Amino acid sequence: MKVTLKNIGKKYESREEFTLRNINLEIDDKDFCVILGPSGCGKTTLLRMIAGLNSITEGDLIFDDKRVNKLASKDRDIAMVFQSYALYPHMTVYDNMAFSLSMRKERKNIINERVTEAAKLLQIEQYLQSKPSDISGGQRQRVALGRAIVRKPKVFLMDEPLSNLDAKLREHMRIELVRIHKQMETTTIYVTHDQVEAMTMATKIILMNDGKIQQVGKPTEFYERPQNMFVARFIGSPTINMIRGKVKDGKFISEDGIIKVTPNEIDKKALKNYDGKDVFLGIRSERFLSGKTEESFEGIIDVIEVLGKEKTLFVKLKSGKDLNITVPGHYKYEMGESHNFGLDVDALHFFDAETQERIN
Ligand code: ATP
């Protein structure tokens, strides 16, 4: 099912200001759409409006071609999975999964078929007769997913369903969710503040901040072409390096005068109205070059963070400016050493210093 939001806004009665405003979105049938953003940006509010658990103050919520603003939650053909999975402790896994179908007075053989099918998909068949207290947290989270799957909804709505799991299990469940989505092809809207979940699972990411949409697109677009400085900083770890400076005769010069770089031809064109103006240059940690060249600069390695396959050098320039530079794990560097670095000119992100919007 396709989910469309037109100028959606939300104002809680107890609040002076709108929590969300002018939200326009198209979530296509079969999309795995991740709503991403920092705590308090309005992700849950938005999801709860789609679910019918929060009223909509303004705008239109449309499922396929039908406006559903006033449709009761139970009639929306959706299933929700939350962070707290609240299973019934006295019921078996089977009965927990069968519960909503039993309430709908579904036939026994249909219930059995659906529960068995979902258990197989989630690889929890051997626990169907166990009680929730006798299985692990990860298995309980799967039961919660199973409960949603058996209903065969038109849309899955998930609110941080993996945040209670440990790191290893989260990684495993991310892959499982992608696999399940591929098999079921049900439109999924998934809320998280974890950029890794968004980058690994989404077919479409919606990044929000402060009640507003910052960027909508495919995961790679967020990394490679962040539309503003907030997006650039939110996506990617270590955080993108931001260097303030000016454009002079087509060249970028940092405010401390240490970093000078001549952008490639495409970027030069984009920057042609910025001569003499303040901009920010963004460059990701892995896009530095090492060695002395005409435009290289010197920095002292302050700290080295070893991650195995790579290491991150925290480099201090003479001005005191810090940069993070990622290099392959087997490269030899020592703390306190001075080195020359340069920038890969095909990896420069330029932002207007005033509006913080992308230029190139
Ligand atoms: P988190 O990741 O912390 O859950 P979120 O992005 O999901 O955050 P929301 O829970 O949607 O954010 O909250 C957005 C804003 O709306 C916050 O400022 C919050 O305090 C406010 N808010 C949420 N629920 C209510 C409510 N029932 N009444 C009044 N304000 C609310």
Side-chain angles (χ1 to χ4, degrees):
M1 187 162 71
K2 182 173 172 177
V3 178
T4 310
L5 285 75
K6 282 192 184 155
N7 281 318
I8 289 277
K10 173 72 185 173
K11 186 183 163 311
Y12 286 107
E13 266 175 33
S14 60
R15 301 254 161 176
E16 294 273 305
E17 306 274 320
F18 272 71
T19 292
L20 294 170
R21 200 117 207 224
N22 300 327
I23 303 287
N24 287 292
L25 265 183
E26 281 192 16
I27 300 164
D28 289 324
D29 187 31
K30 300 178 189 173
D31 256 349
F32 194 124
C33 169
V34 173
I35 303 176
L36 176 69
S39 184
C41 73
K43 309 179 291 290
T44 300
T45 299
L46 191 59
L47 195 75
R48 288 175 60 87
M49 285 198 280
I50 299 171
L53 301 173
N54 272 354
S55 63
I56 296 171
T57 314
E58 60 182 25
D60 304 304
L61 173 65
I62 299 161
F63 284 3
D64 283 336
D65 300 319
K66 194 174 155 207
R67 189 176 189 268
V68 297
N69 286 42
K70 300 277 179 216
L71 194 66
S73 183
K74 65 176 174 39
D75 299 325
R76 289 194 186 185
D77 219 344
I78 50 153
M80 286 198 77
V81 184
F82 297 97
Q83 172 182 352
S84 52
Y85 25 81
L87 303 177
Y88 297 108
H90 58 285
M91 288 187 194
T92 61
V93 165
Y94 183 100
D95 289 337
N96 263 288
M97 283 168 69
F99 188 73
S100 65
L101 299 180
S102 307
M103 292 297 280
R104 285 208 307 230
K105 307 241 171 338
E106 202 65 75
R107 288 210 314 276
K108 277 238 153 55
N109 61 331
I110 303 256
I111 296 181
N112 193 38
E113 209 174 273
R114 295 240 191 126
V115 172
T116 315
E117 192 186 24
K120 199 166 162 192
L121 191 67
L122 293 160
Q123 296 162 0
I124 48 173
E125 293 149 290
Q126 64 272 44
Y127 307 114
L128 284 174
Q129 295 314 317
S130 307
K131 292 274 173 60
S133 55
D134 299 330
I135 58 178
S136 73
Q139 287 154 351
R140 283 202 283 269
Q141 188 53 275
R142 281 171 206 227
V143 179
L145 275 175
R147 241 183 354 191
I149 289 172
V150 294
R151 295 172 55 188
K152 296 209 182 231
K154 293 245 174 69
V155 183
F156 282 120
L157 300 176
M158 304 194 187
D159 194 352
E160 310 235 5
L162 307 185
S163 57
N164 280 343
L165 307 178
D166 66 46
K168 204 79 200 150
L169 204 52
R170 268 211 306 271
E171 186 183 322
H172 180 71
M173 284 302 289
R174 286 204 306 264
I175 301 164
E176 294 284 286
L177 281 173
V178 170
R179 183 176 60 82
I180 291 166
H181 177 254
K182 207 165 171 195
Q183 278 188 34
M184 298 192 60
E185 295 192 317
T186 307
T187 309
T188 303
I189 307 176
Y190 185 108
V191 160
T192 185
H193 60 265
D194 180 350
Q195 54 154 322
V196 178
E197 285 181 11
M199 293 298 278
T200 51
M201 296 194 295
T203 53
K204 178 184 257 177
I205 298 178
I206 293 154
L207 178 52
M208 292 179 57
N209 188 34
D210 210 7
K212 290 182 208 72
I213 294 179
Q214 302 289 319
Q215 187 164 338
V216 177
K218 294 197 181 78
T220 46
E221 291 166 6
F222 280 76
Y223 196 73
E224 289 161 12
R225 287 193 63 77
Q227 289 307 303
N228 60 43
M229 287 172 64
F230 174 81
V231 178
R233 287 191 171 118
F234 195 84
I235 301 285
S237 174
T239 305
I240 191 168
N241 294 284
M242 284 287 182
I243 305 157
R244 198 185 172 109
K246 272 194 193 323
V247 182
K248 251 196 200 140
D249 303 326
K251 247 190 183 185
F252 171 86
I253 301 167
S254 61
E255 57 184 348
D256 58 13
I258 295 175
I259 300 175
K260 299 188 183 90
V261 61
T262 310
N264 68 20
E265 290 307 313
I266 299 170
D267 290 350
K268 255 190 206 159
K269 267 194 201 128
L271 285 166
K272 71 176 188 313
N273 293 330
Y274 278 85
D275 228 77
K277 291 196 183 139
D278 279 2
V279 296
F280 277 94
L281 162 61
I283 179 153
R284 298 215 182 265
S285 192
E286 69 281 11
R287 302 306 292 264
F288 286 83
L289 311 170
S290 63
K292 203 169 164 76
T293 62
E294 214 170 287
E295 289 191 337
S296 64
F297 56 90
E298 217 177 302
I300 291 178
I301 301 175
D302 204 11
V303 175
I304 302 178
E305 200 175 72
V306 179
L307 294 162
K309 78 171 163 29
E310 62 199 22
K311 53 178 74 135
T312 300
L313 316 175
F314 292 89
V315 172
K316 228 180 216 341
L317 306 185
K318 267 203 193 87
S319 58
K321 168 88 182 154
D322 293 302
L323 298 172
N324 58 69
I325 299 179
T326 302
V327 294
H330 61 282
Y331 280 24
K332 298 268 179 282
Y333 283 97
E334 298 291 339
M335 281 193 249
E337 281 175 357
S338 173
H339 281 275
N340 288 293
F341 299 98
L343 312 183
D344 178 348
V345 296
D346 293 324
L348 308 180
H349 306 264
F350 287 102
F351 301 95
D352 186 310
E354 211 166 299
T355 64
Q356 310 224 325
E357 294 294 318
R358 184 181 188 91
I359 299 170
N360 59 334

